[in-house]
Amino acid sequence: MSRARVARRIAAGAAYGGGSIGLLGVATVGVLLAEAHLAKRTVGGGAAPLPPVADGLYGRAFGTEDPLRLALLGDSTAAGQGVRRTGQTPGALLASGLAAVSERPVLLRNVALSGARSDDLERQVSLLLAQPLGPPDVCVIMIGANDVTHRMPATESVRHLAAAVRRLRTAGSEVVVGTCPDLGTIEPVYQPLRWLARRASRQLAAAQTIVVVEQGGRTVSVGDLLGPEFAANPREMFGVDSFHPSAEGYATAAMAVLPTVCAVLGAWPEADRLEPARRENMLPVAKAAAEAVREAGTEVTGARAPWALLKHRRRRRLPVAAEAAGAAGATEGPEGAGGTPEAPADSVPSSETPAGG
């Protein structure tokens, strides 16, 4: 069965109450889970530090009045587990980059929880919507890896995600979802488990894309977030526990998601028209979802039902610390954070750097 058909079945099962469509057999996932836990305990010689708190105001060079409100939800990838400095977390990177592109201050709130699965999104959304300032302008959700390793049925996983996106969209927030990363890149997981992990991750990511687009959100594929760069430079791209991304890894993820975050707020200079030279297309949602998981940074946006736009906005070049500070437009760190966020060097649009995949 094609990935598009599997993803559509999972999404349909979530919509109509099905709960038995899983990603892998129970025995297989049990072995995979044991391998993943072994990787976290024994490879890399250390445990990932708790994520730094990055909440606060970014882009003070643009003032402090009427900031854009950015929120992050999800698991350890959204929280930034594995790095020690505030400016290395994905929230700080996205807030700094958004401030630089929009030329407005950005108020960041991160409610992501390390180890969270999709069923924790209801709690996280409730925390955000209870804020006195009202719903965020844009929410970024990164979730899915723990659903796979903890054997949550795919239909249940995407049902929780769809409900979270629906609540946020109803409240008036734009939503960008970084779909399930490719667990097949975790170094200590060997074949055939590596292949099975990749298959499960991509099936879930495709199903996530379908339900998010149907609820009015956008997705960015991070299936390759732990992909080519991570496979080629595992010691550089993974953190101390060889499981969570390093600072360079989070910067790569931020560069994949930032253009879409800017685009939903009307701050990205590219229009949503198709550019065939970038392998962009309009496809049925399920097929677009299946295509998106093949390349990191692929954005899927709803068009007229049942069609979706498949776009490639990602930039490949990794940030350099000195350039990052300049790209942030003298962006300062949040009050009490004790650090200066480092915006991705590619976060500011440039006519000299193509945004192709």
Side-chain angles (χ1 to χ4, degrees):
M1 187 182 298
S2 70
R3 183 177 292 128
R5 290 183 63 189
V6 171
R8 174 53 73 186
R9 284 187 60 194
I10 293 171
Y16 295 105
S20 61
I21 301 176
L23 296 169
L24 297 171
V26 174
T28 300
V29 174
V31 177
L32 174 60
L33 179 61
E35 288 280 350
H37 280 286
L38 180 64
K40 293 166 78 173
R41 289 199 310 268
T42 64
V43 177
L50 293 176
V53 176
D55 289 10
L57 187 67
Y58 292 73
R60 296 175 188 275
F62 305 111
T64 58
E65 300 296 323
D66 191 28
L68 291 170
R69 298 192 301 277
L70 166 68
L72 262 70
L73 308 87
D75 55 23
S76 58
T77 304
Q81 185 165 357
V83 298
R84 300 183 184 279
R85 296 176 54 194
T86 296
Q88 296 171 334
T89 62
L93 291 164
L94 287 172
S96 297
L98 177 58
V101 174
S102 65
E103 298 185 347
R104 288 180 60 183
V106 174
L107 184 63
L108 171 66
R109 176 79 191 277
N110 194 329
V111 295
L113 178 67
S114 295
R117 288 168 276 180
S118 293
D119 55 3
D120 190 55
L121 289 175
E122 181 179 4
R123 180 191 65 83
Q124 296 181 26
V125 171
S126 295
L127 281 175
L128 286 178
L129 297 185
Q131 293 182 111
L133 291 176
D137 295 301
V138 59
C139 297
V140 176
I141 303 175
M142 303 178 79
I143 198 80
N146 295 314
D147 295 11
V148 175
T149 60
H150 288 77
R151 294 170 284 183
M152 177 179 285
T155 48
E156 181 181 348
S157 174
V158 298
R159 186 183 303 124
H160 287 300
L161 177 60
V165 175
R166 182 166 55 250
R167 286 182 67 192
L168 291 169
R169 293 289 295 134
T170 300
S173 297
E174 299 289 348
V175 180
V176 176
V177 175
T179 54
C180 182
D182 184 354
L183 298 180
T185 57
I186 300 173
E187 270 196 312
V189 178
Y190 302 107
Q191 298 291 8
L193 294 177
R194 184 183 295 271
W195 178 84
L196 292 170
R198 174 166 287 119
R199 180 186 174 197
S201 306
R202 292 186 174 186
Q203 285 179 352
L204 179 57
Q208 287 176 323
T209 297
I210 292 173
V211 300
V212 169
V213 169
E214 288 178 343
Q215 296 301 326
R218 301 191 189 195
T219 64
V220 178
S221 170
V222 291
D224 249 356
L225 164 66
L226 307 179
E229 296 96 338
F230 284 73
N233 303 291
R235 294 290 180 260
E236 179 180 330
M237 300 302 287
F238 282 108
V240 67
D241 63 352
S242 292
F243 190 81
H244 293 97
S246 65
E248 290 81 3
Y250 281 125
T252 300
M255 283 191 293
V257 175
L258 177 63
T260 302
V261 171
C262 295
V264 298
L265 296 174
W268 197 251
E270 297 175 3
D272 279 340
R273 65 178 181 275
L274 297 175
E275 298 190 30
R278 297 183 181 180
R279 306 180 310 285
E280 298 180 347
N281 205 348
M282 181 178 286
L283 299 168
V285 175
K287 189 170 182 181
E291 290 291 326
V293 300
R294 302 183 187 203
E295 184 176 350
T298 303
E299 175 190 310
V300 179
T301 306
R304 56 182 182 274
W307 300 88
L309 296 178
L310 193 76
K311 292 190 66 65
H312 299 285
R313 300 186 193 264
R314 186 169 71 104
R315 299 165 187 261
R316 292 186 179 275
R317 186 165 62 89
L318 285 174
V320 177
E323 294 177 344
T331 301
E332 298 178 17
E335 290 182 350
T340 301
E342 299 163 329
D346 286 311
S347 62
V348 180
S350 167
S351 59
E352 298 176 357
T353 306

